[in-house]
Amino acid sequence: MSPVYVVGHKNPDTDSIGSAIVIAYLWNQWKETGKMNSIMKIDEEAVPVRQGDLNPETEFVLNRFGFEAPELMTDGTGKKIILADHSDISQTIDNIDKAEIVAIIDHHKIGDVTTPNPILFINFPVGCTMTSLKILFDLTGVEIPPNIAGLMLAGIVSDTVAFKSVTTTEKCKEVAEELAKIAGIDDLDALAMEMFKAKSDVAGKSPRDLVYRDYKDFDMSGKKVGVGQLEVVSLDLLADVKDALYDEISKIKSEGNYHSIFLMLTDIMKEGTEMLAVSDDTSVVEKAFGKPLEGRSVWLDGVMSRKKQVVPPLEGAFASL
Ligand code: MG
Ligand code: MG
Ligand code: MG
């Protein structure tokens, strides 16, 4: 029997890679133990896959908790698919219309994929897919092994920027504590710092690699919009590459027929974002954030979350263009 593939979004982050691994584990536990049988019968084995290269933080995390990187898979044609950490067509596997989506487990706005049949669709408005997953483990009575707990914890630390992001919920903190206990991690701050350091590794990377490290496409009121994010412990690390990053998003904009591309340069310690912007109509920036673009960028104090603090105001601004 052909397997079900679990896939996170394009330009995968630690949550997207990690939650694909964790969902596959949980799915296979459901299959073996029958703990989901009262809702749905599971016949196929789940296999995690990825749509792109690992970022340095994810590499560190997989090593730290002893996981192999999932295989690369970018075409969904004829496959059964579980979506992790997204439900937007622009972010999902190619030819999703020729695939069968059997489940979605996420923590974002609902995207634009649709299914002809009822499916398992779990989405809590929390800081990380791993938080949604912890709730699901508990709900279905499946035990979490230490290495899976570590991977889940790392996903939460990554997505919530160690609980600094406004996306962080009480549930995320509660779940992180439980996972740390299972994983045997006493010093959560030390883990977070190691992850931030790995995440901040920009030396020797091409501008294009940096732009695409954490990059998402959106359809905003019919306009093609890209929003990338680089999170670093200090913006000083980006001082030398900022010009090149700006040139790169300008290039990508014209190559890809974009209306706008925004690149968030997020300072984890200062807890704010310098946002580079290229746009056919730069007034969207002031409409969205109440501050005009100053030259190439705008400083957004306290802004760390693309999902909660950047995409929704941009969607609103584009709707009123
Ligand atoms: Mg993600
Ligand atoms: Mg996520
Ligand atoms: Mg993120």
Side-chain angles (χ1 to χ4, degrees):
M1 194 179 303
S2 44
V4 179
Y5 295 96
V6 193
V7 63
H9 53 73
K10 288 194 161 88
N11 305 312
D13 54 11
T14 297
D15 186 30
S16 237
I17 297 287
S19 64
I21 294 172
V22 175
I23 290 167
Y25 176 81
L26 178 59
W27 189 269
N28 293 333
Q29 286 298 304
W30 286 342
K31 177 179 183 295
E32 267 171 42
T33 62
K35 282 186 170 161
M36 251 303 187
N37 279 3
S38 63
I39 297 172
M40 57 187 201
K41 198 160 158 1
I42 292 170
D43 297 314
E44 301 94 341
E45 180 147 6
V47 174
V49 291
R50 64 185 163 90
Q51 290 199 64
D53 292 339
L54 302 184
N55 70 35
E57 180 199 67
T58 309
E59 254 173 56
F60 164 79
V61 166
L62 293 188
N63 269 332
R64 171 76 173 72
F65 296 105
F67 290 95
E68 298 279 320
E71 293 290 313
L72 186 71
M73 187 176 110
T74 58
D75 192 331
T77 305
K79 307 265 171 38
K80 287 191 177 182
I81 302 279
I82 297 171
L83 301 184
D85 196 36
H86 74 290
S87 65
D88 292 79
I89 291 169
S90 59
Q91 294 164 21
T92 202
I93 196 159
D94 294 344
N95 294 312
I96 191 70
D97 54 326
K98 298 185 189 86
E100 184 193 346
I101 298 171
V102 298
I104 300 173
I105 301 176
D106 192 14
H107 68 120
H108 288 87
K109 73 182 173 75
I110 301 177
D112 48 6
V113 300
T114 54
T115 63
N117 298 307
I119 62 160
L120 179 75
F121 185 17
I122 303 288
N123 191 99
F124 289 99
V126 290
C128 183
T129 304
M130 300 297 194
T131 308
S132 299
L133 275 167
K134 174 67 167 68
I135 297 168
L136 205 48
F137 270 94
D138 293 348
L139 209 61
T140 56
V142 176
E143 220 177 290
I144 304 177
N147 63 334
I148 292 276
L151 187 59
M152 292 171 76
L153 177 64
I156 295 174
V157 169
S158 174
D159 263 17
T160 66
V161 200
F163 316 106
K164 290 179 190 215
S165 171
V166 293
T167 57
T168 313
T169 61
E170 280 307 309
K171 191 70 185 175
C172 295
K173 293 182 196 166
E174 185 189 305
V175 157
E177 249 174 63
E178 291 173 30
L179 292 171
K181 231 174 252 164
I182 300 170
I185 290 168
D186 319 313
D187 195 345
L188 199 47
D189 291 342
L191 173 68
M193 216 45 225
E194 280 182 281
M195 287 173 58
F196 289 166
K197 261 194 232 145
K199 201 196 268 269
S200 300
D201 177 23
V202 294
K205 303 285 185 317
S206 75
R208 185 146 301 210
D209 284 350
L210 292 178
V211 171
Y212 282 139
R213 183 178 280 183
D214 182 4
Y215 182 90
K216 290 180 180 174
D217 281 329
F218 297 90
D219 179 324
M220 296 194 185
S221 301
K223 307 232 170 25
K224 189 175 171 192
V225 177
V227 187
Q229 182 172 30
L230 274 171
E231 293 162 310
V232 288
V233 283
S234 163
L235 286 191
D236 296 345
L237 290 165
L238 298 174
D240 291 344
V241 290
K242 215 178 276 177
D243 288 343
L245 289 174
Y246 185 80
D247 292 346
E248 204 58 44
I249 57 173
S250 308
K251 253 185 253 166
I252 294 169
K253 176 179 177 296
S254 51
E255 287 168 14
N257 249 319
Y258 283 90
H259 180 281
S260 304
I261 296 183
F262 305 95
L263 182 61
M264 301 168 62
L265 309 178
T266 298
D267 190 315
I268 297 173
M269 294 303 155
K270 285 208 184 94
E271 303 190 18
T273 290
E274 179 179 353
M275 199 175 71
L276 298 177
V278 289
S279 177
D280 289 342
D281 183 351
T282 50
S283 76
V284 282
V285 171
E286 185 161 11
K287 280 204 181 90
F289 304 105
K291 271 178 101 178
L293 206 59
E294 290 162 36
R296 304 178 305 189
S297 69
V298 61
W299 171 257
L300 303 171
D301 210 38
V303 168
M304 303 183 84
S305 165
R306 168 175 45 207
K307 174 165 70 105
K308 238 178 165 167
Q309 295 170 299
V310 171
V311 169
L314 280 175
E315 300 244 25
F318 273 92
S320 71
L321 266 193

